[in-house]
Amino acid sequence: MAKSLPKQLISERVKNFFEVGLGFSEEEARKEAQRCLQCKNPACVKGCPVEIDIPAFIKLINEGKQKEALEKIKEKNNLPAVCGRVCPQEDQCEALCVLNKKKAPINIGALERYASETGVSLAGLAVNRRQATGDRRQIKVAVVGSGPAGLTCAADLAKMGYQATLFESLHVAGGVLVYGIPEFRLPKNIVQNEVDYIASLGVSIHTDALIGSTYSIEDLFKDGFKAIFVATGAGLPQFLGIPGENLDRVYSANEFLTRINLMKAYKFPEYSTPVNIGDKVAVIGGGNVALDSSRVALRLGKEVTLVYRRSEKEMPGRFEEIENAKEEGVKFNFLTQPVRILGDKDGFVNGLECVRMELGEVDDSGRRKPHEIKGSSFILNVDTVIIAIGQNPNPLLTRLTQGLKTNSNGTIRVDDHLMTSIPGVFAGGDIITGADTVIKAMGAGKKAAVEMDKYVKAVIQDLKG
Amino acid sequence: MHKIIERIELAKEIIQIKVEAPQIAQKAKPGQFVAVVLDERGERVPLTIADWDKDSITLIFQKVGFTTQKLADLKPGDFIAHILGPLGHPTKVDNFGTVVCIGGGVGIAEVYPVSRAFKEAGNRVLGIIGSRTKDLIILESRMKSVCDELFVTTDDGTYGKKGLVVDVLRGLLDVVEKSTHTKYPELVYAIGPVLMMKAVADLTREYKIRTIVSVNPIMVDATGMCGSCRCTVEGKTVFGCVDGPDFDAHTLDFDELLKRTKLFKTQEQKADGKKPS
């Protein structure tokens, strides 16, 4: 059997924001590492968007060489402590592990996390920074957005020897890793460590800078940046478009989670951002953001019902997080679609009208499409509604940048080299795909760094020629 | 970090600070705002950019909540941890003809840069500013310098005309209605308390005079990512931070805006150390 990650006791963790998964001990990690068959042609690596040499780092763990294991991971992945925790390994590397045929796959995520924790100190790794070479040493490149795509790209560019500057509009770097994913799934000091590591590579991090306004793309070129990577993510919350959505105590998941995760509203008034939710919370949606919102509300001592229009099988959220949410006491209302939010005379939520659904034919997403059951309307007795049905690409930079072409869904148009309609401006991550996983954004960040390097070299060659 | 270089108490509870922010100052346009975070535990608060020069921006605010109270306590030489901006669409300024610029309460500070821009664009600018009482009237001379005519009101009659800003506007429109050689203003621009802006909108709707208001809803990131500031305009949801802050007053749902601004009233009191009512 694969060793699953030890967790905080349910009765304890529902009362705190500390991390749920506790991480492997050395013994547990080695035992798990020993199960790895060290395939000659490892399938797991093909499942990894950044192609970590998984068998190699697992072997190093087995040999007790934690530092080397971490360095092996960092050859490809700048954010192992993040990925070990939030990657959907069950759909990626672990899904392809050959052990699946007979028994459980290797718990690669937990081993990556173990390596990231026990590896080495930041200083030790910083030595790894390759010496800036020749032409590239003086070349300035910019990365816009400090989420997983931006952090990865900036780190890789710095490793290549570029002078990389990372711009972030919020007051803290990390993007969705700090505003979106809760502390109990990804502790913020861990994100900060990863950001510090990236700064230690020589990346200059510039928060409170909204590109498009504080500085335009044009300003950056004028300022000497030779290539720019736009990784502004998908943070524009979608709403349902049903009556009552602007009542008080109706939150987008983004607002609710930002108040809690970034602004630390759960520590109000020690931190000065408040959050005002009632006692009975409905969270609408079936993805990880809906699960995160539910479990945050639960930790604030509320009764939480997750409302999802399809059945459990179709939920896009990670299996592990669905299990965690269930264990912790989130109630699930499947095959349920909200149609109206009811409010009192002061404009506060006092109910959620829903209808029951049934599954019909398979739709474009490969899942069975829900249909309303006529006459099934009922009212859920709640006083707070959190809407977690997805995010669209952030519109601000695209809106404020002339000549940057977008698709009708708001994503930025790029060619095969991730270059946008503006020469020298690249884009990747959720801003070109719509909301997707952390690791895919990181994969885009890596690819962008390579493409930017090629582009800059070609431009410089042109200048010389 | 942004250094405070000047602090002036314009009126009781109304503070003006000048803060170093060269990059924002170079980009600022009338009608735009910044998001301010006082310290690492601070909330993100939107404040209108009341004025700017080469290296600094001027913020004018009323001590109404936890953060503005703390901001008011800062002295020259102190620092604000984070300022993001400029944010929001600038006010659309053109030569419309005659523009009435209305500011209520601390909204006077916000209507000033807009009035100045309208004047510079060649408009005839009529200013109307009002407060509860004489001590709360601010920027009168600055407004005078950019208006062809300035009217001042106080609710209690301790200064200027007794009554509300909307009463003055009604008076002006009455005169036009009865006269043969004057015409209605092309645009009314109002900023202040929600109820004041609503009263102005209700009046100008009767006269079909184009009216723009600048909203100040609750925000978090202020860059379009949370939707805390959503308002309804023409029956559709818009975000105050990135779609505004200026909106058509005749199709904005003021009642909803008013309700949404009250969401955190009890928490504000808790943060202030007062008992929630």
Side-chain angles (χ1 to χ4, degrees):
Chain A
M1 257 312 277
K3 175 79 183 139
S4 56
L5 204 63
K7 292 185 206 171
Q8 251 201 88
L9 282 178
I10 298 165
S11 57
E12 287 299 315
R13 73 185 199 232
V14 295
K15 288 182 253 163
N16 67 49
F17 278 80
F18 299 126
E19 193 168 15
V20 168
L22 296 175
F24 277 164
S25 66
E26 185 175 351
E27 196 195 332
E28 287 166 329
R30 278 177 106 151
K31 219 170 152 192
E32 183 67 7
Q34 275 161 17
R35 293 177 59 240
C36 177
L37 300 177
Q38 292 294 317
C39 305
K40 279 225 170 90
N41 190 6
C44 53
V45 179
K46 295 189 186 85
C48 175
V50 298
E51 297 167 341
I52 296 172
D53 190 345
I54 295 165
F57 95 75
I58 291 181
K59 186 163 180 268
L60 290 164
I61 289 178
N62 191 19
E63 291 164 0
K65 296 175 180 164
Q66 286 96 335
K67 178 174 180 272
E68 288 79 1
L70 180 55
E71 281 170 353
K72 180 54 74 183
I73 298 172
K74 289 222 172 182
E75 283 174 11
K76 298 283 184 175
N77 181 348
N78 296 303
L79 310 169
V82 172
C83 290
R85 289 172 167 83
V86 303
C87 260
Q89 290 97 5
E90 64 279 11
D91 299 327
Q92 300 178 338
C93 52
E94 291 175 15
L96 298 178
C97 174
V98 291
L99 288 176
N100 274 306
K101 286 178 191 155
K102 290 192 172 166
K103 37 197 167 181
I106 300 287
N107 192 338
I108 300 169
L111 289 175
E112 181 179 23
R113 174 178 164 176
Y114 172 77
S116 76
E117 272 165 5
T118 54
V120 276
S121 69
L122 198 101
L125 271 173
V127 185
N128 267 358
R129 186 183 169 197
R130 282 173 220 163
Q131 285 306 307
T133 49
D135 286 345
R136 288 190 279 193
R137 190 170 36 209
Q138 298 301 327
I139 299 171
K140 281 165 67 175
V141 288
V143 174
V144 183
S146 67
L151 287 172
T152 302
C153 184
D156 277 12
L157 289 166
K159 284 180 180 172
M160 290 174 189
Y162 286 98
Q163 267 185 44
T165 304
L166 183 56
F167 294 98
E168 166 58 47
S169 66
L170 288 172
H171 57 288
V172 182
V176 71
L177 307 175
V178 292
Y179 76 73
I181 304 176
E183 181 79 18
F184 55 79
R185 211 148 72 75
L186 180 62
K188 298 311 146 218
N189 64 335
I190 295 213
V191 180
Q192 191 56 50
N193 285 345
E194 302 277 48
V195 171
D196 289 346
Y197 162 71
I198 281 158
S200 79
L201 295 172
V203 174
S204 132
I205 298 173
H206 193 336
T207 57
D208 305 312
L210 179 66
I211 304 304
S213 181
T214 318
Y215 304 92
S216 65
I217 293 284
E218 215 184 316
D219 290 338
L220 296 183
F221 280 128
K222 273 188 201 152
D223 204 25
F225 289 96
K226 292 290 180 256
I228 299 164
F229 179 52
V230 176
T232 44
L236 176 70
Q238 290 174 14
F239 287 90
L240 290 154
I242 60 173
E245 243 175 340
N246 292 351
L247 288 164
D248 281 340
R249 287 187 181 155
V250 178
Y251 291 93
S252 73
N254 250 20
E255 177 182 355
F256 179 64
L257 292 174
T258 301
R259 285 182 182 277
I260 298 290
N261 301 336
L262 175 71
M263 307 308 296
K264 312 245 181 291
Y266 64 100
K267 293 183 182 172
F268 179 86
E270 184 190 337
Y271 283 74
S272 38
T273 302
V275 65
N276 178 353
I277 63 171
D279 298 316
K280 293 179 176 179
V281 179
V283 177
I284 300 163
N288 288 323
V289 176
L291 292 164
D292 284 347
S293 302
S294 302
R295 296 169 66 201
V296 165
L298 201 81
R299 281 161 173 74
L300 297 173
K302 312 303 178 187
E303 195 182 310
V304 184
T305 307
L306 186 139
V307 176
Y308 181 49
R309 66 196 179 120
R310 304 186 201 236
S311 72
E312 181 171 355
K313 219 177 89 191
E314 287 80 24
M315 278 182 84
R318 287 185 74 185
F319 174 75
E320 185 187 330
E321 305 306 340
I322 298 171
E323 289 303 300
N324 281 337
K326 275 188 191 166
E327 284 176 7
E328 289 167 10
V330 173
K331 287 189 275 182
F332 288 77
N333 231 319
F334 293 114
L335 293 167
T336 304
Q337 169 93 334
V339 291
R340 188 160 61 116
I341 305 170
L342 309 169
D344 64 17
K345 63 173 175 36
D346 296 320
F348 282 77
V349 173
N350 66 1
L352 178 66
E353 188 181 330
C354 300
V355 290
R356 296 285 183 204
M357 310 294 277
E358 58 188 354
L359 294 178
E361 71 288 6
V362 172
D363 68 8
D364 295 346
S365 74
R367 297 176 298 176
R368 291 178 65 195
K369 197 175 170 184
H371 295 282
E372 178 180 342
I373 300 173
K374 288 237 161 65
S376 63
S377 157
F378 69 102
I379 290 170
L380 212 56
N381 177 22
V382 295
D383 53 20
T384 304
V385 175
I386 297 169
I387 300 167
I389 57 165
Q391 291 92 237
N392 287 329
N394 277 325
L396 215 41
L397 182 140
T398 50
R399 211 188 273 179
L400 294 168
T401 306
Q402 276 186 352
L404 190 61
K405 288 196 178 129
T406 54
N407 298 303
S408 58
N409 63 0
T411 53
I412 296 178
R413 273 194 221 176
V414 293
D415 64 16
D416 292 344
H417 307 284
L418 294 181
M419 180 127 71
T420 66
S421 53
I422 303 176
V425 178
F426 296 77
D430 285 3
I431 192 67
I432 67 162
T433 58
D436 209 327
T437 60
V438 166
I439 187 73
K440 283 191 189 150
M442 289 175 55
K446 290 194 90 66
K447 181 171 184 215
V450 171
E451 296 290 351
M452 288 164 82
D453 182 42
K454 279 190 215 159
Y455 168 83
V456 171
K457 279 183 193 156
V459 168
I460 287 171
Q461 211 54 47
D462 278 357
L463 289 177
K464 280 182 188 162
Chain B
M1 294 293 269
H2 300 266
K3 193 173 169 184
I4 295 177
I5 44 189
E6 187 187 277
R7 179 191 182 278
I8 300 169
E9 199 155 338
L10 292 179
K12 191 168 166 273
E13 313 274 279
I14 300 179
I15 311 294
Q16 167 178 309
I17 54 171
K18 212 169 161 180
V19 193
E20 275 179 3
Q23 192 54 39
I24 300 171
Q26 280 164 35
K27 292 291 172 102
K29 292 197 177 74
Q32 290 190 297
F33 63 97
V34 289
V36 172
V37 187
L38 280 192
D39 54 47
E40 299 315 319
R41 290 183 177 189
E43 59 181 333
R44 296 175 67 91
V45 178
L47 290 173
T48 301
I49 308 172
D51 208 346
W52 56 92
D53 55 27
K54 201 171 142 282
D55 295 316
S56 69
I57 57 171
T58 298
L59 305 173
I60 299 175
F61 54 91
Q62 192 163 14
K63 293 194 245 176
V64 284
F66 179 73
T67 296
T68 43
Q69 185 71 51
K70 273 178 85 173
L71 190 56
D73 293 339
L74 297 181
K75 291 178 274 305
D78 289 345
F79 288 87
I80 294 175
H82 305 276
I83 304 180
L84 174 70
L87 301 171
H89 290 291
T91 299
K92 283 198 183 93
V93 176
D94 209 334
N95 189 351
F96 296 107
T98 299
V99 180
V100 180
C101 291
I102 304 173
V106 76
I108 301 169
E110 296 159 348
V111 86
Y112 163 67
V114 177
S115 308
R116 185 175 63 189
F118 279 128
K119 183 67 201 163
E120 283 167 0
N123 293 282
R124 176 167 168 258
V125 178
L126 306 179
I128 308 172
I129 58 173
S131 281
R132 275 204 318 278
T133 186
K134 184 185 175 186
D135 294 344
L136 295 175
I137 292 288
I138 56 169
L139 306 192
E140 188 186 355
S141 60
R142 272 184 256 182
M143 275 301 282
K144 233 174 206 159
S145 70
V146 297
C147 292
D148 292 84
E149 272 185 85
L150 181 70
F151 305 88
V152 184
T153 70
T154 49
D155 296 4
D156 62 3
T158 46
Y159 189 69
K161 204 169 150 52
K162 184 176 190 313
L164 307 171
V165 288
V166 70
D167 299 331
V168 176
L169 179 64
R170 187 178 290 111
L172 290 175
L173 299 179
D174 267 351
V175 171
V176 180
E177 201 171 10
K178 285 169 190 149
S179 112
T180 50
H181 59 278
T182 54
K183 60 186 189 69
Y184 289 112
E186 275 71 25
L187 179 72
V188 172
Y189 185 96
I191 179 161
V194 177
L195 287 174
M196 180 214 96
M197 295 193 290
K198 182 177 194 277
V200 168
D202 288 344
L203 176 65
T204 58
R205 191 181 291 110
E206 286 172 34
Y207 289 88
K208 297 192 173 65
I209 298 168
R210 207 174 132 234
T211 302
I212 302 292
V213 291
S214 175
V215 298
N216 188 12
I218 297 166
M219 296 184 189
V220 186
D221 65 285
T223 59
M225 284 173 54
C226 79
S228 175
C229 62
R230 60 198 189 275
C231 305
T232 301
V233 178
E234 288 181 54
K236 284 188 208 119
T237 294
V238 292
F239 287 4
C241 64
V242 294
D243 299 317
D246 289 0
F247 289 117
D248 169 36
H250 294 158
T251 53
L252 173 74
D253 186 338
F254 284 103
D255 296 335
E256 179 186 276
L257 179 62
L258 191 62
K259 283 175 181 163
R260 287 190 63 79
T261 53
K262 292 183 175 166
L263 178 57
F264 295 103
K265 234 179 148 185
T266 45
Q267 270 96 344
E268 273 291 348
Q269 286 162 340
K270 198 172 155 194
D272 286 344
K274 292 176 202 157
K275 271 193 187 155
S277 55

